[in-house]
Amino acid sequence: MTKKVFLIALMVFLSIDCKSQEKDKINHSPKLVVGIVVDQMRYDYLTRFYDRFGEGGFKRMINDGYNCKNNHFNYVPTYTGPGHASVYTGTTPQNHGIISNNWYDKFAKEEVYCASDPAVKAVGSDSEMERMSPHRMKTTTVSDQNRLHTQLRGKTIGIAIKDRGAILPAGHTANGAYWFRGKDEGKWITSTYYRNELPDWVQKFNASGKAKSYFKVWNTLYDIKTYKESGSDENTFERGYEGKETATFPYDLAKLKDQNRGYDIIKESAYGNSLTADFAIAAIDGEQMGSDEVTDFLTVSFSSTDYVGHNFGVNSKEIEDTYLRLDKDLERFFNALDSKVGKGQYTVFLTADHGAVHVPSYLKSVKIPAGYFDSKKMAEKIQAFVKEKFKAEDLMENASNNQIFFNYSALQKYNIDAEELQKALAHFILQEKQIDKVFTRSQLENGNYTSGIAALLQKGFNQKRSGDIIIVFDPATIMYSLTGSTHGSGLTYDTHAPLLFYGQGIRKGSTTAETHITDIAPTISALLGIAFPNGATGDVLPFVLD
């Protein structure tokens, strides 16, 4: 054989071999994908508390997986409902339609909740408040696409303390979504959208007394003197629980429960995450997740981090302890996946649904510009201005989520042009202190913004569901109590969220390149070799995939 012929033969062999390997890669998927959302988790919690984390939780994902260090939400508003929907649909509220947790429905003339559904009933509770489904979400999720790709053989289960944290990620085709009913019940429940009675494993878990076991003392996991990554335990920036004079450790949840809505106090403590991990581990067995070669999808949202943050703030001892305990719960959960599904047989991603601002009263105490906005006074000024300028009343139908909705019947009655009202009102509002920017419906419908807050607002603006005026506050200015943290803005404290990938098909490494929350679903879709969610606008992150 000549040298030339030999080289040609070798190239053909290598080409065939590479194609064979590529085919194997394309067709090989993990037995289970686990999507984890940590509610209200800022990226800097990973770095602030890193030295105190164990090796098996957050550090396992960081050191043995892929860390996207510059990951952001690419829309406003940064709330729980839109956050969970965007993670799993791979698009923003502009397309998936979940524009907030609650919003004003200008067609029904009423406020609606992102997961509410009057057509279904609760299962496992008699409460009329638990009628929930994903029907308001307009697009599919990556978990839906996995179900469609596997001819519904791949199973999807959603779990969270919060109903919206369980329902929206699991998508429209889920086999089940379970959330925790607190108050005087303390049970995991679902709705008739999924099934007419709780499965045996859920009933068994509810009867086990596991939830009740967390009515105990919440003290710091370690000596509180070693908690150097948070402020003083006693301060004026935290709300605390009813029945306890100071927001300081320890908290006897058994003694405080009657004054704090019963089982809700567990939801609002670090133990709510432990209960979620308990239930998620039970679900792996109960639903036989990852038990065959067809990929299943388990979505888990840890909601209690959000409750603790709202109550105590992002700089509190309570938030530090909550994350140290969550780290141990993650380690326990990953160990369960190792034993029940198998090491190297599953893929996990971990992110957040939004971040949170430092308590503005704290920021002001250290001379950082911050403040609180009085929406009631602003509404009165707007009404007076409109009445004087347009000689008409009732032109404003609703004000919510930093948006104003016009009463178009009144505009027609008084022969007022909607764009003229938009411009006049936007100019008036912009003169107010603590208002940074104002945008109109016309601007967001007709403009094409590619950067800055305007671009984030446009991606969060749903033409059919959003309002006519959108207001942007000054940095660290919120409509909230003087204690505790909140979120919702397009500033980095709300948009910068962790994004970790780990497990089968994932490289080890990290990047500081900017990534977006909407990139998660396309990346997992590419890993699985399935169609992207039908409204996806995010990109695949090729450097994450092995």
Side-chain angles (χ1 to χ4, degrees):
M1 182 183 293
T2 67
K3 185 176 181 181
K4 184 176 181 181
V5 172
F6 173 79
L7 289 174
I8 291 172
L10 179 63
M11 290 173 66
V12 170
F13 172 80
L14 290 174
S15 174
I16 293 170
D17 187 58
C18 287
K19 286 180 180 178
S20 175
Q21 289 180 19
E22 183 64 22
K23 183 178 180 182
D24 287 343
K25 265 190 173 182
I26 289 173
N27 292 335
H28 191 56
S29 294
K31 291 182 177 180
L32 177 66
V33 174
V34 181
I36 298 174
V37 175
V38 183
D39 205 318
Q40 202 190 112
M41 185 175 182
R42 294 162 51 115
Y43 176 81
D44 66 339
Y45 289 163
L46 282 181
T47 54
R48 274 174 61 192
F49 308 138
Y50 183 85
D51 290 343
R52 300 301 299 275
F53 290 148
E55 297 300 319
F58 287 112
K59 280 186 178 179
R60 180 174 179 179
M61 296 197 73
I62 293 169
N63 297 329
D64 295 334
Y66 204 94
N67 182 7
C68 296
K69 299 179 179 181
N70 190 19
N71 182 63
H72 290 267
F73 284 85
N74 56 345
Y75 64 87
V76 174
T78 43
Y79 295 135
T80 297
H84 283 80
S86 298
V87 167
Y88 285 89
T89 62
T91 191
T92 68
Q94 184 181 60
N95 299 308
H96 62 59
I98 304 298
I99 63 171
S100 188
N101 292 336
N102 302 274
W103 65 86
Y104 180 69
D105 185 329
K106 51 195 171 187
F107 301 99
K109 306 297 182 187
E110 64 181 10
E111 185 177 273
V112 297
Y113 175 60
C114 63
S116 65
D117 187 351
V120 303
K121 292 184 178 180
V123 173
S125 172
D126 293 328
S127 173
E128 289 295 308
M129 302 296 292
E130 305 291 348
R131 307 175 93 172
M132 303 292 171
S133 86
H135 81 108
R136 298 191 194 279
M137 185 167 61
K138 297 163 73 72
T139 60
T140 63
T141 62
V142 61
S143 44
D144 281 324
Q145 296 302 150
N146 185 63
R147 289 274 286 158
L148 293 173
H149 185 81
T150 60
Q151 303 301 314
L152 305 183
R153 293 191 299 272
K155 184 174 285 190
T156 298
I157 299 293
I159 292 168
I161 289 283
K162 293 182 181 178
D163 47 53
R164 56 189 180 272
I167 291 167
L168 299 175
H172 302 277
T173 60
N175 301 84
Y178 301 95
W179 57 96
F180 187 70
R181 171 70 182 172
K183 306 296 188 291
D184 61 346
E185 296 186 54
K187 297 185 294 186
W188 291 88
I189 66 170
T190 188
S191 79
T192 53
Y193 180 86
Y194 304 99
R195 56 192 306 133
N196 292 321
E197 61 180 28
L198 292 176
D200 291 343
W201 71 267
V202 177
Q203 293 184 46
K204 182 179 178 181
F205 188 94
N206 285 337
S208 70
K210 177 59 76 171
K212 190 175 183 180
S213 73
Y214 288 112
F215 282 138
K216 59 183 182 179
V217 174
W218 176 22
N219 207 345
T220 52
L221 188 60
Y222 307 109
D223 186 340
I224 197 169
K225 293 177 183 177
T226 67
Y227 282 41
K228 303 294 186 182
E229 304 305 327
S230 48
S232 60
D233 192 29
E234 186 167 1
N235 58 70
T236 60
F237 313 123
E238 303 171 6
R239 184 165 62 252
Y241 300 117
E242 292 293 328
K244 192 174 190 301
E245 289 187 10
T246 59
T248 55
F249 282 108
Y251 300 97
D252 189 334
L253 303 188
K255 289 184 178 179
L256 294 170
K257 65 181 176 64
D258 291 341
Q259 292 173 269
N260 292 273
R261 301 168 304 284
Y263 281 93
D264 280 3
I265 199 170
I266 295 173
K267 294 163 52 174
E268 296 164 10
S269 76
Y271 295 140
N273 292 327
S274 301
L275 179 61
T276 302
D278 295 336
F279 190 72
I281 292 169
I284 297 170
D285 283 332
E287 297 288 347
Q288 296 184 311
M289 304 294 285
S291 61
D292 57 30
E293 298 305 314
V294 180
T295 302
D296 294 327
F297 220 113
L298 177 63
T299 75
V300 181
S301 182
F302 289 98
S303 308
S304 295
T305 43
D306 184 70
Y307 290 118
V308 174
H310 277 295
N311 191 344
F312 299 96
V314 305
N315 200 46
S316 63
K317 291 281 191 271
E318 287 79 2
I319 206 72
E320 182 171 357
D321 191 70
T322 295
Y323 276 89
L324 296 182
R325 289 180 178 276
L326 175 59
D327 182 59
K328 287 190 172 296
D329 287 325
L330 287 174
E331 180 174 6
R332 184 162 57 92
F333 181 49
F334 295 155
N335 288 341
L337 289 170
D338 287 343
S339 64
K340 298 174 186 297
V341 181
K343 287 185 178 181
Q345 300 296 310
Y346 61 89
T347 304
V348 183
F349 69 82
L350 183 148
T351 188
D353 56 347
H354 52 73
V357 66
H358 269 285
V359 179
S361 55
Y362 165 71
L363 292 178
K364 290 172 72 175
S365 75
V366 294
K367 301 181 181 179
I368 292 177
Y372 296 88
F373 187 76
D374 190 331
S375 59
K376 186 177 180 181
K377 278 188 179 180
M378 188 70 225
E380 292 171 353
K381 287 183 179 181
I382 289 172
Q383 293 288 1
F385 166 76
V386 170
K387 185 176 181 180
E388 179 181 350
K389 182 170 179 63
F390 291 92
K391 312 301 179 188
E393 297 185 11
D394 302 323
L395 298 184
M396 307 296 106
E397 190 167 275
N398 179 269
S400 55
N401 293 315
N402 297 0
Q403 299 182 47
I404 297 173
F405 294 79
F406 291 172
N407 181 343
Y408 279 85
S409 296
L411 265 64
Q412 187 175 16
K413 174 183 175 182
Y414 293 107
N415 196 29
I416 295 171
D417 180 70
E419 286 198 31
E420 181 186 355
L421 179 58
Q422 287 175 31
K423 290 178 181 178
L425 198 52
H427 182 267
F428 172 75
I429 294 171
L430 194 57
Q431 310 312 308
E432 289 294 309
K433 292 181 179 180
Q434 299 181 296
I435 301 295
D436 187 47
K437 297 175 180 67
V438 183
F439 290 86
T440 66
R441 168 174 285 273
S442 295
Q443 286 177 300
L444 296 177
E445 285 183 339
N446 301 319
N448 183 24
Y449 302 101
T450 58
S451 63
I453 294 293
L456 302 186
L457 287 168
Q458 194 166 51
K459 287 185 175 69
F461 181 85
N462 184 276
Q463 191 176 31
K464 194 167 184 176
R465 293 180 175 179
S466 297
D468 300 287
I469 298 286
I470 295 87
I471 299 168
V472 179
F473 298 142
D474 283 341
T477 297
I478 61 176
M479 288 189 294
Y480 202 65
S481 65
L482 298 178
T483 56
S485 300
T486 193
H487 48 86
S489 80
L491 294 160
T492 54
Y493 50 73
D494 282 336
T495 68
H496 192 190
L499 176 54
L500 305 173
F501 294 90
Y502 168 81
Q504 184 173 327
I506 303 300
R507 289 179 179 171
K508 292 183 182 181
S510 66
T511 183
T512 55
E514 184 169 348
T515 61
H516 298 128
I517 213 77
T518 50
D519 298 334
I520 299 171
T523 300
I524 294 297
S525 296
L527 172 71
L528 300 180
I530 63 176
F532 291 8
N534 60 17
T537 53
D539 297 317
V540 174
L541 304 177
F543 43 82
V544 167
L545 302 178
D546 188 2

